[in-house]
Structure formats: structure tokens, C-alpha cells
Amino acid sequence: MSVRPAILLAVSLLLATPLRADSDLPPAPLSDTQLADPRQEAAARALMEKIRCLVCQGQSIADSNAELAGDMRALIRQRIAAGDKPSTVQAWLVRRYGSWVSYDPPLDRTTWLLWVAPILLLAAGLVLARRSFRSRRRG
């Protein structure tokens, strides 16, 4: 008898969790506000296009409405307004969140498969296509 209420509570909590994914806090000050200097804003926007949203995973932080993406946009604008170069800010983000946060990850021992896999898949497709065409000619 006491197991049923516990199961209902667990299911209710699991269903309610996505509804509270974002907090009730106001957005970060520079998350949706452009910098006064157009060159700095252009540099910040270009960098935002290169950084992956850690919540959405399929969008850049420039396109994402997630709260974390807004915080990251604000952070990028603050650092660029303070005089940091976009490459310095990107390197800091990669150190903090890992290479996966960048849409252009560096070639190293953890990301080599990301760079080599398209070439291997293309080569495998060419081999399969060649075999298929040869078998059609013979048959």
C-alpha cells in the first residue's frame, strides 16, 4: 500500500522536471543586448556562432534560447568588451567545457575520430559504389 504513493510521487517528479529546466532569474545583462562598439559586437557574434549550446547541443549559443546559452553570450560580450581577443575567449571556453563546446574542435587525441570519420566513410562509400557498379556490369 505504501509503495503506490511512492511510485506516484516519483513519476510526478520525473514529469515535472522538464517544466523547471530554466530558473526564474532574469537573463544575464548582456545576453540579449548588443555591445556599443560595432566591431566588438561583430567579433562577439562571430564567436557565438562557433560555440555549441551545451543544453540544446544542436544549436550555437547565438541561436539558442536556453538560459545557459544566454549566460555564455553575456560572458563572451563581457570578455570582448574588456579587451580579450575572440580566440582567447574561445580557448577559455574550451578549457572550461571541453573541446565539444566548439563547432571547430582542434585535432588532438580525443577528437581525431571527428576529423577522420568523414574521410573513412567517404572512402567506404566509394569502395561500395565501385563494387556495385562492377557487379552490375558482370551480371
Side-chain angles (χ1 to χ4, degrees), residues 2 15 39 71 76-77 91 123-125 128 130 139:
S2 65
L15 293 176
R39 287 180 293 162
D71 291 343
I76 287 172
R77 284 187 173 116
L128 288 174
R130 186 174 177 187

Side-chain angles (χ1 to χ4, degrees), residues 7-79:
I7 291 173
L8 287 174
L9 177 64
V11 169
S12 298
L13 289 174
L14 287 174
L15 293 176
T17 301
L19 298 175
R20 299 294 304 157
D22 284 339
S23 71
D24 292 330
L25 296 174
L30 289 175
S31 65
D32 297 317
T33 304
Q34 294 185 357
L35 295 173
D37 183 350
R39 287 180 293 162
Q40 286 182 333
E41 179 61 26
R45 293 288 301 172
L47 179 55
M48 289 177 210
E49 293 290 335
K50 295 179 184 179
I51 303 298
R52 182 186 318 265
C53 176
L54 299 172
V55 176
C56 305
Q57 299 180 3
Q59 291 181 309
S60 70
I61 61 170
D63 300 328
S64 175
N65 290 328
E67 186 175 2
L68 179 61
D71 291 343
M72 292 173 80
R73 286 192 303 269
L75 180 118
I76 287 172
R77 284 187 173 116
Q78 288 168 356
R79 297 209 42 185

Side-chain angles (χ1 to χ4, degrees), residues 72-135:
M72 292 173 80
R73 286 192 303 269
L75 180 118
I76 287 172
R77 284 187 173 116
Q78 288 168 356
R79 297 209 42 185
I80 288 181
D84 287 353
K85 292 182 181 179
S87 59
T88 305
V89 178
Q90 184 174 3
W92 181 83
L93 287 167
V94 168
R95 280 193 311 275
R96 182 175 177 130
Y97 297 109
S99 296
W100 190 84
V101 76
S102 175
Y103 275 120
D104 187 20
L107 180 59
D108 63 16
R109 64 185 176 98
T110 59
T111 61
W112 70 271
L113 188 59
L114 292 172
W115 292 98
V116 175
I119 296 167
L120 294 176
L121 291 173
L122 181 63
L126 290 173
V127 168
L128 288 174
R130 186 174 177 187
R131 285 183 184 170
S132 176
F133 290 134
R134 280 188 180 173
S135 67

